[in-house]
Structures are given as C-alpha cells and as structure tokens.
Amino acid sequence: MGLLLELQKRVPDGWFLRRLLPAALFVVVAVVGGGRLGWAHWSDLARARAAVAGALRLGEGVTSDGAAVLVLLAAAVAAAALAVPFAAGALGALASGAWPWWLSPLGRRLTERRRRRWSPPDEIAREAVRARAAGRETRAARLDALRARSAPTAPTGPTWSGDRLRATERRVRETTGTDVAEAWTGLVLGSADPAREALGAARDAYDAACEALVWAVAFTVLGAWWWPSAPAGVLLALAAHRALRQAVEALCRTTEAVAALPGPPDDGPAPRP
C-alpha cells in the first residue's frame, strides 16, 4: 500500500489511473484468474487467496525465484501500460473514420449498412407521434431516444464518430476559412488559456474513452481463460462506448465554440522606429 501511495505521488494522476492501475489489475486477473483458476475453478476463492498470498510471502526475505517473479510481473504491468496508448491511438483513428486502405472493403460495407439503417429524424418523430396516438408509449419513448441519437444527414462513413467529426470540420472551415488542422493549430496556440484548457480536456476525454475500449477488449479476450472476465469486459465496453460518444460530442462542440471566438485584435502595422 505504501508503494502505491508513493507511486501516486510521483506519477501523474491521469497516467496512474488510466494506465498503470488498470494494467496492474489486468495482470493480476490474468495471472490469478486465467493462470490459476481457469474455467474449472473459476469461483474458488481459497485457491485465488493462496495464489496471491504465495506471491506476497516475503517474510523470510526475497529469494532469487521470488525476485524473478516480481520483475516479470512488473515488466508485464509496464508493458501493458505502455502498449495501451498505442492501441488506443489506432482505435481512435478507426473511430474518427481514418481507416487504412486494407480495411477499406470492411469500411464500405459498414457505411452501406449504416445508410440502410438510417432514417431521417423528422420521419422518426412522426412515427413516434403515431405510436403515442395509438397508446404505445414504450415504442414512442424508444423512438424519441432514437431520434435524439440519429444524425440529421445520411451516414457518409463507417462510424458515427467519424461523421460527427467531419461535420465539425466542415463547420470550422466555414467559420475560419481554413483547414481543420490549421484551425486546430491556431486554436491551441492563439486562444486564451481557458479555451486551450477546454480543448485539451475534450481531447483528453476522447483519448481516455479509447483507452477504456482497449481495456474492455483485453478483459473480454481474457474471458477465454477465465470466463467472469468476459462479461466484465462487455459491461466495460458498453460504458466506454457511451463515454466515447459523449467525448466526441464534447470535442466537437468545444472546437466549434472556440473557433467562433473573436481573434486577437489587429493593431495595424508596427510603428517605424
């Protein structure tokens, strides 16, 4: 416990809570659940307790085998914590619609599927009114929720996040007259401190949601060796997916709001000496 407290003092909170702590939890679950319990003894708490106690039994000094085990566990935790940002970056690129060429066929199929399932919000609203008039309140409520999530235009990419980000890019281009990358550079470097902090917080929330999705996939895959990890990973994936949508909305709204801010006043040419 003292080691964890000391680490929390020295390591930034975001890195500790988002990467180091989940990595330690994942390694413990993989070693104890997948390595010692498995499917046959998935609920054997005595076996799990014995495994943890054996790893922490250091009363007679650390032997060479014990030191090797600790080094391997620390290396596994560090490797997981360092690998997650790279995996989250790749997942964030897919969520934003930046798919590599070798995934283009899958992206086209997903785009066509989203187009077939899309309905205009006005049409959904009319269907909700008809359902409510017929006394079908449950269906009307479900349609209202669907209308709130539905995009105003037909999907143009394989993901909802990518469509939302591209719509923001168009609006920023119309507002600033520049490409979104140039606009972002100007927003970050030329905006006031509160605006920069808001943009940074919105992007950080997007990255955190992508990392949560990576952990969800990892825990779900671990269910092949210890099945309770799979439903936990699915629940985490649902929560992370919702957090990702909220982060995309916050990032787009923050970018549009900051782009609409007036630029620094132009004082004219500098006076000649």
Side-chain angles (χ1 to χ4, degrees):
M1 183 61 70
L3 176 61
L4 292 178
L5 293 176
E6 186 63 25
L7 281 175
Q8 190 172 11
K9 292 179 183 178
R10 297 179 180 274
V11 180
D13 289 342
W15 200 88
F16 179 81
L17 295 176
R18 279 168 41 185
R19 295 171 188 167
L20 187 60
L21 194 60
L25 176 62
F26 178 78
V27 170
V28 169
V29 172
V31 171
V32 177
R36 295 298 299 270
L37 300 183
W39 281 52
H41 306 279
W42 67 271
S43 60
D44 193 343
L45 295 181
R47 185 185 290 261
R49 220 170 20 244
V52 175
L56 298 178
R57 191 175 294 117
L58 303 176
E60 299 178 358
V62 181
T63 64
S64 58
D65 291 340
V69 170
L70 290 178
V71 170
L72 290 176
L73 289 177
V77 171
L82 292 175
V84 163
F86 294 98
L91 193 149
L94 293 178
S96 66
W99 288 43
W101 65 267
W102 49 274
L103 284 178
S104 296
L106 176 60
R108 287 193 294 270
R109 286 196 293 269
L110 289 177
T111 302
E112 291 299 326
R113 180 174 179 269
R114 294 185 65 234
R115 285 175 180 169
R116 288 193 301 267
R117 298 182 60 184
W118 176 81
S119 297
D122 294 340
E123 180 179 335
I124 299 175
R126 288 192 293 268
E127 183 64 24
V129 171
R130 288 193 292 266
R132 189 167 285 109
R136 305 168 65 184
E137 291 294 335
T138 302
R139 175 172 172 76
R142 187 166 60 249
L143 289 171
D144 288 338
L146 178 62
R147 178 180 177 274
R149 298 192 307 267
S150 180
T153 58
T156 59
T159 63
W160 174 89
S161 301
D163 289 347
R164 184 69 176 87
L165 291 170
R166 279 190 291 272
T168 298
E169 291 177 4
R170 289 192 297 270
R171 283 191 283 270
V172 169
R173 190 180 299 111
E174 294 172 357
T175 302
T176 63
T178 59
D179 187 72
V180 68
E182 299 176 1
W184 254 93
T185 303
L187 292 175
V188 173
L189 298 180
S191 302
D193 289 339
R196 281 199 301 270
E197 292 177 0
L199 288 171
R203 180 53 195 259
D204 188 66
Y206 180 83
D207 294 339
C210 292
E211 291 180 13
L213 279 174
V214 172
W215 287 120
V217 172
F219 277 99
T220 303
V221 172
L222 184 58
W225 291 269
W226 188 59
W227 74 260
S229 178
V234 172
L235 292 177
L236 179 59
L238 294 175
H241 179 263
R242 181 178 179 84
L244 179 62
R245 290 180 70 103
Q246 293 175 346
V248 170
E249 283 287 353
L251 180 60
C252 293
R253 291 176 181 174
T254 303
T255 302
E256 293 174 14
V258 175
L261 293 175
D266 187 5
D267 296 331
R272 296 181 179 178

